[in-house]
Amino acid sequence: MKKLYISALLAVLASLTLSCKKDNSTTSYPSLSGLSITQQPPYVSVGDVLTFEYDRSDITVSTGSMPVVGIYWQVNSAKRDTLTENIAISNPAFTYKVDTLGKYTVTCNAYAGSEYYGTSASSEFQAIDPATALTGTGANTTATIAGKTWTAVNLSTPGSGLAYKYAEVSSQPLGRYYTWQEATTACPSGWHLPSAAEWDTLGEDAGEIMADAYFLEEKMWEYWPEVNITNSTGFNAIPAGYADRSFATASFSGLGEYAAFWTADSTGDTAEYRYIIIKQPKIHKGQGSITSLALSVRCVKD
C-alpha cells in the first residue's frame, strides 16, 4: 500500500508540474511598429478642422511578411472611425473639428488581427481662447515709463514673425517671434523699435517690468525669492522665450523661463537685445544674430 501511495503522489506532482509549465508559457506574436502621424501645433482654436495623415510605408512587422493592416482612430480614448481595413487598398486622412476648449489626444491605431501586436501614434494639443488664455497682466495695452509710452503687450502683427510653435492662436497671448530684420519694420505707424538707450531708461530691476501672469492657469514666472515681481511700471513682461530660425523649421525654447526683446541697435550681423532670466533680479544685455534669432518685440511711441 505504501508503494502505491508514493506512486500516486509522484503522478500527481508530475501532473501539476506539466500544468504549471503550460500555464506559464506565452505565445510570441509578430508586432507592428513604425507608425507616425501628422503632429498638430500645441494650441488650436475651437472650430478648427484638423487633418491627420499617416504614411503606410513607415509601418513594418517584426517577423514574416507584412499582413493585412487596418487603421482606426480615437479622440481622447473614444473610438471615432475605422478609416480602412486594408492600408494597401486605401489610405485616407482623418479629419476632426475641435468643438470645445480643453486638451485633446488624437490617436491612430494600426492592427492586423488577433495574431499580431498592433501599434499606435498620437498627437496632443489644447484648444484655447486667445482672449482669456493669459491673465494677470491687466487690461492696459500701453504703459508710460520715464516719460515714454511703451506697448504693454508683446507685438503680434499678422503677416510677420512666427507664432509659438506655429500655433497661430497663441499670437495674442504670447506675441510673435521676430528676427531683428523683421523687428525693425514690425511696429505700427507712429511707433518704433526702442533703442538700447530707451531700454536703459527702464532701469535694471527685472521685477519692476515682470508681470505675475498665468498662461492657461499656470504661473508663467516660477517663484524665486531673489526676484520681487511688482510690475510697478506696468510693462507686463512675460517669459515667452525665443525662437531659433537657423533652419527651415524654427525651434522654440525658453517659454516660462526667459523674456527677451530686441533693441534697435545693431553692429554688422548682430543686434543688441534685453532679456530676463527667471531666477535673476536683473535686466540683462545680449547680442544675437539679426537673421536667425527671433525674439519678442515691444514698441515705443514716436
Side-chain angles (χ1 to χ4, degrees), residues 87-288:
I87 61 174
I89 296 176
S90 61
N91 191 30
F94 174 66
T95 58
Y96 180 75
K97 184 176 181 178
V98 179
D99 53 3
T100 60
L101 296 174
K103 295 181 178 180
Y104 291 80
T105 300
V106 173
T107 303
C108 179
N109 301 275
Y111 65 95
S114 60
E115 295 186 352
Y116 290 85
Y117 292 115
T119 186
S120 64
S122 298
S123 176
E124 296 181 353
F125 52 91
Q126 186 167 357
I128 69 171
D129 179 353
T132 60
L134 182 68
T135 58
T137 57
N140 292 337
T141 58
T142 62
T144 301
I145 308 168
K148 293 184 178 293
T149 301
W150 293 71
T151 53
V153 294
N154 290 349
L155 192 66
S156 58
T157 305
S160 62
L162 292 179
Y164 177 71
K165 293 190 175 181
Y166 299 93
E168 291 296 325
V169 70
S170 72
S171 291
Q172 180 178 338
L174 299 179
R176 297 176 75 84
Y177 302 78
Y178 301 83
T179 65
W180 184 83
Q181 290 178 327
E182 293 171 332
T184 58
T185 59
C187 290
S189 178
W191 298 75
H192 64 270
L193 186 67
S195 67
E198 286 175 314
W199 265 98
D200 290 343
T201 64
L202 299 182
E204 295 185 350
D205 186 346
E208 292 182 352
I209 68 170
M210 297 164 69
D212 188 20
Y214 289 75
F215 180 57
L216 300 176
E217 301 183 350
E218 291 189 7
K219 188 175 179 65
M220 293 205 76
W221 292 110
E222 181 185 336
Y223 173 73
W224 284 83
E226 296 86 353
V227 182
N228 182 25
I229 297 177
T230 65
N231 197 27
S232 58
T233 61
F235 187 85
N236 291 330
I238 60 171
Y242 58 93
D244 181 354
R245 297 181 62 177
S246 300
F247 302 98
T249 301
S251 60
F252 297 80
S253 303
L255 182 66
E257 298 178 0
Y258 297 93
F261 308 90
W262 285 119
T263 77
D265 294 32
S266 67
T267 304
D269 295 332
T270 64
E272 192 169 340
Y273 61 86
R274 296 293 186 267
Y275 68 102
I276 304 169
I277 303 174
I278 187 173
K279 58 185 178 181
Q280 295 181 8
K282 183 180 179 180
I283 301 173
H284 298 272
K285 300 178 181 181
Q287 294 275 342

Side-chain angles (χ1 to χ4, degrees), residues 38 40-41 44-52 94-99 125:
T38 305
Q40 299 296 331
V44 301
S45 298
V46 172
D48 282 355
V49 178
L50 307 179
T51 300
F52 299 85
F94 174 66
T95 58
Y96 180 75
K97 184 176 181 178
V98 179
D99 53 3
F125 52 91

Side-chain angles (χ1 to χ4, degrees), residues 4-28:
L4 290 175
Y5 174 77
I6 292 174
S7 297
L9 180 59
L10 291 174
V12 171
L13 290 174
S15 175
L16 288 173
T17 301
L18 289 173
S19 176
C20 289
K21 287 182 178 180
K22 184 177 181 180
D23 291 341
N24 290 334
S25 64
T26 57
T27 302
S28 179

